[in-house]
Amino acid sequence: MFCKFFAHDLRHGLGDHPCRLGVGFLLFFCLSSYHFLTLRIYELTNPEFFETPVTTGDYFLALTGGCGKVEPVPGGGTTFTMPVLWITFVLWILFASLYYPFLDLQGMGKQLLCLSGTRGVWWASKCLWTVCNTVANYLLAFAASALAGICFGAVPSMTAHVYLYQELEMNAGTLTSPSTWDIWPLFFLTALALVALSLLQLALSAAVKPLFSYLLLTSYLLAGTYLQSPALLGNFAMPARSALLAVSGLDPLGGALLCLWVIVGSMVGGRIVFERKDILGGNEL
């Protein structure tokens, strides 16, 4: 029965939405292409950073890196700059998983749920679909950034160069490397954090309307851009806040364990809420 539910979700939640995937790819490609413009500035101001070729890892980190820890400035104020590329990237991935699970309850999904006689199978299928959909969109962002980099002459590599600390609003004195970073560990940690956030959104959507859950997650992510704290999960989806890039960053292993805890908690807690949800009520949007 679970396989039938999941096949239904893959077909209608992913296969029937090529336009959404296409729009996502185009969005990520355009956002990544912006890095080509910032490179022209860096080449003029800091030409010593470009003794080695720019890589596709540079383009991906520019898109997904976020911003470094916000520091106070002597005399008042802070170093905070909103990471627009990062917030757009994360909010699109969350939005891509927002509506399908509960729109499905207004159509064939409700019939399948009633025929199965159990809500647990429906919920488990939606959790797995959310994971697959999030990973698919994340890989789409990776492919779009890589294509943008290659189109502008970047070398295929997941090694990112230290010049990016300027774009990521990081403190040069706290960098973990004087030249390059291997961002493969950050690639997987960011994916895990995005899966945790998507499942948390799904669990919240079981308690409130999906739009409200999206707005709550948006506020939660915006708070995370200003405050570096393990309690704000968005920090682990932001490579610039990782101890792999900055010595003042958060522990990636601890972040991975916290993300796993949130994933399990969201699946279990969301199911408990969904078991008590009135699925015969009005509009769930």
Side-chain angles (χ1 to χ4, degrees):
M1 180 60 71
F2 173 80
C3 292
K4 292 182 179 179
F5 269 93
F6 186 55
H8 166 81
D9 289 334
L10 285 181
R11 182 169 63 253
H12 296 287
L14 271 175
D16 289 352
H17 297 280
C19 289
R20 185 186 68 202
L21 296 173
V23 169
F25 183 87
L26 182 61
L27 173 66
F28 296 139
F29 181 86
C30 292
L31 292 177
S32 299
S33 298
Y34 174 74
H35 184 58
F36 175 74
L37 300 178
T38 62
L39 281 172
R40 306 287 70 79
I41 299 174
Y42 298 148
E43 287 175 341
L44 292 174
T45 57
N46 301 100
E48 68 275 10
F49 284 133
F50 298 94
E51 295 177 358
T52 55
V54 173
T55 68
T56 52
D58 292 328
Y59 277 81
F60 186 66
L61 189 58
L63 171 65
T64 64
C67 63
K69 182 180 179 181
V70 178
E71 302 284 358
V73 175
T78 66
T79 60
F80 177 68
T81 301
M82 176 62 69
V84 177
L85 294 184
W86 179 84
I87 199 70
T88 304
F89 156 72
V90 176
L91 289 181
W92 175 266
I93 287 184
L94 290 178
F95 180 77
S97 299
L98 179 63
Y99 277 115
Y100 169 72
F102 294 95
L103 282 175
D104 188 54
L105 276 179
Q106 300 177 14
M108 181 63 69
K110 183 181 292 186
Q111 298 179 39
L112 291 174
L113 191 155
C114 293
L115 287 173
S116 70
T118 174
R119 297 189 179 201
V121 174
W122 184 93
W123 179 256
S125 177
K126 293 301 182 289
C127 287
L128 184 56
W129 174 85
T130 299
V131 172
C132 292
N133 187 63
T134 301
V135 171
N137 280 276
Y138 183 65
L139 293 177
L140 205 65
F142 173 67
S145 67
L147 180 61
I150 291 172
C151 286
F152 292 114
V155 175
S157 170
M158 285 299 278
T159 298
H161 292 84
V162 76
Y163 76 86
L164 282 168
Y165 83 86
Q166 301 174 82
E167 192 165 349
L168 301 180
E169 301 295 335
M170 297 173 69
N171 187 336
T174 65
L175 300 177
T176 58
S177 170
S179 56
T180 61
W181 295 304
D182 175 15
I183 62 172
W184 274 120
L186 295 167
F187 175 86
F188 292 110
L189 179 59
T190 301
L192 186 64
L194 289 173
V195 167
L197 288 167
S198 296
L199 287 172
L200 179 59
Q201 176 180 257
L202 179 65
L204 288 172
S205 296
V208 299
K209 292 184 178 181
L211 179 59
F212 292 163
S213 71
Y214 186 70
L215 294 176
L216 286 172
L217 259 293
T218 299
S219 301
Y220 179 66
L221 288 168
L222 289 174
T225 62
Y226 189 80
L227 300 172
Q228 179 172 299
S229 169
L232 298 169
L233 203 62
N235 281 277
F236 295 110
M238 198 182 300
R241 299 282 175 88
S242 173
L244 295 173
L245 265 63
V247 294
S248 60
L250 299 173
D251 176 33
L253 179 58
L257 294 175
L258 180 59
C259 289
L260 290 174
W261 184 88
V262 171
I263 288 171
V264 174
S266 297
M267 293 173 67
V268 174
R271 176 174 176 178
I272 293 172
V273 173
F274 183 68
E275 290 284 353
R276 294 163 173 75
K277 188 179 181 67
D278 176 17
I279 64 172
L280 300 177
N283 185 8
E284 294 294 331
L285 303 180

